[in-house]
Amino acid sequence: MIKKISLLALFVVTSAASRAQDFRYGGITADELYLKTYKNDTSARAVYLNDYGTTSLNIGSDDHVQIMHERHVRIKILKTQGFDKATIEIPLRVREQDEEVAEDIKGFTLNVTEGGVETRTQLEPAKIFTEKNNKYWKTVKFTMPNLKPGSIIEYSYMLRSPYWWYFPEWMFQDDIPKLNSKYEAHIPGFWTFNVSLRGPYKLTTNNAELERECFTYHAAKADCSHLTFAIADVPAFTEEDYMTSRKNFLSAVYFELSEYTNLGTGAKIKNAKEWKDIDYSMKHSDYFGSQLKKKDQLKPYITPVIAGKTTELEKAEAIYAYIQKNVKWNNITSYGSEGVRKTLDSHTGDVGDINLALVTALSAAGINAEAVLLSTRANGLINKLFPVENDFNYVIAKANIGDKTYLLDATDPLLGFGILPLRCLNDQGRVMSLDKPSYWIDMPTKQRKAQTSAYDFTLQPNGKLKGTITAYYIGYDAYEKRKAIKKFNTTEEYVENLDEQLTKTKIISSEITNLDSLNLPITEKYEVEIDAFDKGNQAKLAFNPFFFDRITNNPFKLTERLYPVDWGMPSDDRFILNMHLPDGYEVESAPQGLGISLPNGGGKFITNFAGEGNNFTFSNVFQLNKSVYEPEEYPYLKELYNKVIAAERAEIVFKKK
């Protein structure tokens, strides 16, 4: 949920710290010191006693505008599991000429003995480290010292940034509760920001005050908007499986630059744009539009690749495979490129380098191709209220062939043609082409994950089961299986490892087909021997057909989930068992056929048993037909899993006649 907040102009100046309503550093109360549990959440491993931030704009020593963002935190550690909150990471942007800096870092840990003796252990500067993540980011890290259950940790720092257009957001919520979370913004009238509130919790403080002539740049002066946002008693955000970035759902406030005044010329510059403005900017940029126009540069690379290919689909598949195999992804996400030809020559690149080269190469072959901008699942949802180019962090290719559309990402050499990695399946993407306006498409695409397992077993007199296991993997399941197999040097090593992992099962022979044929289903076939029973010749034998991949744990445990269940894509799992019993045996009892459905065709779980003589067949289908289930559907999904788990405990009993 995103709410637009109507606010005044923004950005601040010099003495913001003196005006800020911070809590006193080191001023810990007796109530805080002797707090044992948090009354609103007795299971909490730690709790923020105070979390305060203030952001202003200042003029640096180089006479340039800079952001000053100060944060001050006090946390009570309630359990040993809360020690993780004592490791702090401060991400910093890095560019060729400028970078953000974290300074004035200080902190201490306060402990009290049973006799009431207080000790403070200071954070040592030598324990503060800087780690380079990639060419765009680095991280300052430190861990608070002398931790114990009952400790209070307190720290503060100042972040200085030359990137004044990136006004820091504020997260009111975290994975532990917060008693008080407050954020102040001082915004001079030379800047205007759109402010949006995200998350389920209402502000307990939302004030705007005017500060007279708070900002001065040479002879230019401006008043400031002093904005204060706060939420008290914020519950912990509990993460659960199958969700996109948690920042999509955390209670937070965000700022997007709308308009600013050039302090050198006095000209007002509108930064808030419509999509037509984004289109124009990107189509005329060196890093995007110019790269898509370099078809002629790529033709020498592409001509031999498509030689002998007669259809557009054959050409597209060949180009896609060529870039997959010849350019290695450096694990950096981006949506622009320094040069698509350079990418093919260097055989390495960012996401933008690889996939813009793919779009351009497809166009060079006469295929109707477009680029699709998107935000990955980890990066969060796009704020569509205010078009901002930097909300995107990824780009893929869209090939339009006949009446079909194929979405392509060439960063992974194991992805089949038309299959996207899960990280890309996040809400919607923006299609960008050179000759028409941009538009949205749904990113949970038509792709599915599906597998079918077929078991054919014969019960031996010694109590062992002998037979075959055949599994077919389709779509994204085929990709995941290929990735699992390719972790090993050979398929033989993969099978050996599988043999070691399967309890009471011996693999006698194996066959894996279509491993390198990325556009075909992958098949595994194993001849196996299973120690199903301790000994044969028993009067009765009980058998659970779900002895592989049985669901024993419900991933959904919350009483109420306030955010969607997002699988990324629908799934279809099918299983069939054919069992042959020795002469003289018959089925005494078997699970009743079961049919469970989600509302509105959202999915189903079906089991079926059929037997004749000493042979029987057991099968089941588990389908989830939607990519995303809304919070109101959560109870039904949770109950479906409860019933699946109960059904998979059922046994088939056969006996001697």
Side-chain angles (χ1 to χ4, degrees):
M1 177 178 64
I2 301 174
K3 296 179 181 178
K4 179 180 177 182
I5 302 175
S6 178
L7 292 173
L8 305 177
L10 64 105
F11 268 172
V12 70
V13 116
T14 50
S15 59
S18 65
R19 297 190 302 270
Q21 300 173 27
D22 194 359
F23 59 97
R24 185 166 68 89
Y25 186 84
I28 296 170
T29 67
D31 287 343
E32 292 173 333
L33 190 58
Y34 291 99
L35 181 69
K36 299 296 184 182
T37 59
Y38 175 48
K39 63 180 181 179
N40 292 348
D41 183 359
T42 56
S43 66
R45 67 189 192 277
V47 59
Y48 283 87
L49 302 173
N50 268 300
D51 191 9
Y52 173 81
T54 180
T55 300
S56 62
L57 233 64
N58 203 351
I59 302 300
S61 58
D62 58 358
D63 207 35
H64 288 100
V65 178
Q66 65 177 356
I67 280 179
M68 296 172 60
H69 174 69
E70 181 181 355
R71 190 173 183 198
H72 182 189
V73 176
R74 183 181 295 162
I75 296 176
K76 178 74 174 187
I77 305 296
L78 300 171
K79 304 175 182 179
T80 55
Q81 294 89 335
F83 288 0
D84 64 316
K85 305 310 294 184
T87 297
I88 291 85
E89 298 185 359
I90 308 171
L92 302 173
R93 292 182 177 85
V94 178
R95 299 297 183 266
E96 291 182 358
Q97 297 178 342
D98 295 310
E99 62 181 46
E100 295 177 334
V101 177
E103 57 189 23
D104 298 334
I105 300 172
K106 62 180 181 178
F108 66 89
T109 301
L110 178 64
N111 290 300
V112 61
T113 67
E114 291 183 2
V117 179
E118 297 181 17
T119 59
R120 295 196 182 203
T121 308
Q122 299 295 326
L123 172 66
E124 299 177 17
K127 301 296 185 181
I128 301 171
F129 304 95
T130 300
E131 178 181 289
K132 184 177 180 180
N133 305 108
N134 54 52
K135 62 183 179 181
Y136 300 118
W137 292 93
K138 65 180 181 180
T139 303
V140 171
K141 296 182 178 181
F142 56 92
T143 298
M144 302 302 293
N146 197 19
L147 297 173
K148 301 174 183 178
S151 296
I152 290 179
I153 60 173
E154 186 164 345
Y155 62 88
S156 66
Y157 62 86
M158 175 72 76
L159 186 152
R160 293 182 182 269
S161 173
Y163 312 117
W164 50 262
W165 50 95
Y166 288 127
F167 201 84
E169 70 272 8
W170 183 257
M171 300 294 173
F172 296 103
Q173 200 175 13
D174 199 353
D175 61 353
I176 61 173
K178 293 187 180 184
L179 294 181
N180 299 287
S181 182
K182 179 188 286 188
Y183 187 49
E184 298 191 55
H186 301 267
I187 302 170
F190 292 126
W191 289 268
T192 302
F193 281 77
N194 293 318
V195 182
S196 58
L197 184 68
R198 180 177 290 174
Y201 299 105
K202 293 183 179 180
L203 295 170
T204 52
T205 301
N206 183 9
N207 294 332
E209 300 174 344
L210 188 64
E211 297 174 328
R212 295 291 184 184
E213 295 188 357
C214 67
F215 183 87
T216 302
Y217 178 76
H218 297 265
K221 295 184 178 181
D223 298 336
C224 291
S225 295
H226 174 196
L227 311 173
T228 304
F229 310 97
I231 303 181
D233 294 318
V234 190
F237 180 82
T238 304
E239 291 193 45
E240 206 175 44
D241 291 342
Y242 309 113
M243 59 177 284
T244 54
S245 173
R246 70 176 195 159
K247 78 177 185 179
N248 294 333
F249 315 109
L250 289 172
S251 287
V253 62
Y254 292 86
F255 299 79
E256 298 287 356
L257 182 62
S258 173
E259 185 178 271
Y260 65 96
T261 300
N262 185 309
L263 298 181
T265 65
K268 285 191 175 294
I269 300 172
K270 184 179 179 182
N271 192 67
K273 300 175 181 179
E274 298 177 3
W275 284 110
K276 63 181 180 180
D277 302 316
I278 301 288
D279 291 358
Y280 181 86
S281 174
M282 297 199 68
K283 289 175 184 179
H284 292 82
S285 66
D286 291 336
Y287 59 86
F288 192 85
S290 294
Q291 303 303 321
L292 298 178
K293 297 173 184 177
K294 295 181 178 180
K295 295 187 292 185
D296 291 342
Q297 291 187 13
L298 298 194
K299 281 185 177 178
Y301 299 83
I302 300 308
T303 299
V305 173
I306 61 175
K309 305 296 187 292
T310 58
T311 68
E312 285 192 345
L313 182 58
E314 289 176 341
K315 293 177 182 178
E317 289 176 340
I319 292 170
Y320 174 72
Y322 167 75
I323 292 180
Q324 269 186 311
K325 295 174 182 177
N326 286 278
V327 185
K328 184 178 181 180
W329 180 34
N330 61 14
N331 291 317
I332 296 176
T333 59
S334 65
Y335 58 85
S337 174
E338 296 179 356
V340 292
R341 180 175 176 178
K342 176 183 174 182
T343 299
L344 297 186
D345 288 336
S346 65
H347 303 287
T348 187
D350 300 354
V351 167
D353 295 321
I354 294 171
N355 285 333
L356 289 182
L358 175 60
V359 175
T360 307
L362 291 170
S363 298
I367 296 166
N368 180 3
E370 301 165 297
V372 182
L373 295 171
L374 56 90
S375 173
T376 58
R377 292 168 74 90
N379 191 55
L381 296 173
I382 299 295
N383 185 348
K384 297 175 185 175
L385 294 174
F386 314 119
V388 178
E389 179 185 323
N390 288 329
D391 277 355
F392 299 103
N393 72 325
Y394 210 94
V395 65
I396 59 173
K398 178 174 179 281
N400 307 299
I401 300 174
D403 59 351
K404 293 186 178 180
T405 293
Y406 302 89
L407 298 180
L408 307 170
D409 181 354
T411 62
D412 191 327
L414 296 180
L415 281 170
F417 188 84
I419 300 293
L420 291 177
L422 183 62
R423 60 180 173 267
C424 292
L425 305 184
N426 186 37
D427 192 39
Q428 291 188 313
R430 191 80 181 180
V431 181
M432 307 288 293
S433 64
L434 296 177
D435 56 359
K436 60 184 178 183
S438 63
Y439 59 95
W440 293 105
I441 59 170
D442 290 335
M443 288 315 302
T445 64
K446 296 179 181 179
Q447 76 183 49
R448 300 175 67 91
K449 53 188 305 183
Q451 63 173 287
T452 299
S453 300
Y455 300 170
D456 192 293
F457 294 147
T458 299
L459 178 62
Q460 307 297 308
N462 60 3
K464 295 181 184 247
L465 294 175
K466 291 191 68 173
T468 58
I469 297 175
T470 307
Y472 307 90
Y473 304 91
I474 301 170
Y476 198 75
D477 266 342
Y479 162 72
E480 289 186 321
K481 178 55 66 173
R482 288 188 175 94
K483 191 165 63 170
I485 295 174
K486 289 293 186 178
K487 289 180 180 179
F488 297 86
N489 294 321
T490 63
T491 55
E492 288 77 13
E493 285 188 15
Y494 165 76
V495 173
E496 287 175 9
N497 179 263
L498 182 63
D499 193 26
E500 293 173 1
Q501 299 300 316
L502 294 175
T503 58
K504 297 185 178 182
T505 301
K506 180 181 179 181
I507 297 177
I508 300 171
S509 65
S510 64
E511 181 183 4
I512 299 175
T513 56
N514 295 331
L515 179 60
D516 296 315
S517 301
L518 303 186
N519 298 328
L520 295 175
I522 187 171
T523 303
E524 290 181 290
K525 187 173 183 179
Y526 301 101
E527 183 183 355
V528 298
E529 185 177 76
I530 303 172
D531 292 327
F533 308 103
D534 292 336
K535 58 183 179 179
N537 300 317
Q538 297 182 42
K540 277 188 182 181
L541 296 173
F543 174 74
N544 187 314
F546 297 98
F547 53 90
F548 293 135
D549 299 325
R550 177 176 162 186
I551 300 175
T552 59
N553 181 50
N554 192 332
F556 307 117
K557 299 177 175 63
L558 299 177
T559 303
E560 181 184 26
R561 179 158 158 161
L562 301 179
Y563 48 90
V565 174
D566 192 324
W567 311 95
M569 69 198 80
S571 62
D572 188 328
D573 292 335
R574 297 172 183 265
F575 163 77
I576 184 169
L577 166 69
N578 290 311
M579 178 73 84
H580 312 284
L581 303 177
D583 291 337
Y585 275 88
E586 64 181 357
V587 175
E588 179 182 69
S589 63
Q592 294 290 322
L594 183 66
I596 310 167
S597 296
L598 291 174
N600 303 315
K604 61 184 178 182
F605 178 75
I606 298 173
T607 66
N608 184 62
F609 177 87
E612 182 176 350
N614 58 343
N615 297 317
F616 68 84
T617 299
F618 179 82
S619 63
N620 82 285
V621 176
F622 190 10
Q623 289 181 340
L624 294 166
N625 296 327
K626 299 172 66 174
S627 300
V628 179
Y629 293 83
E630 299 302 328
E632 56 269 23
E633 298 177 283
Y634 179 77
Y636 301 104
L637 197 58
K638 180 179 177 180
E639 183 59 21
L640 173 65
Y641 265 81
N642 283 335
K643 291 182 177 179
V644 169
I645 291 170
E648 293 191 353
R649 294 194 189 106
E651 292 185 326
I652 301 170
V653 178
F654 30 93
K655 65 177 182 178
K656 287 185 176 180
K657 294 179 181 178

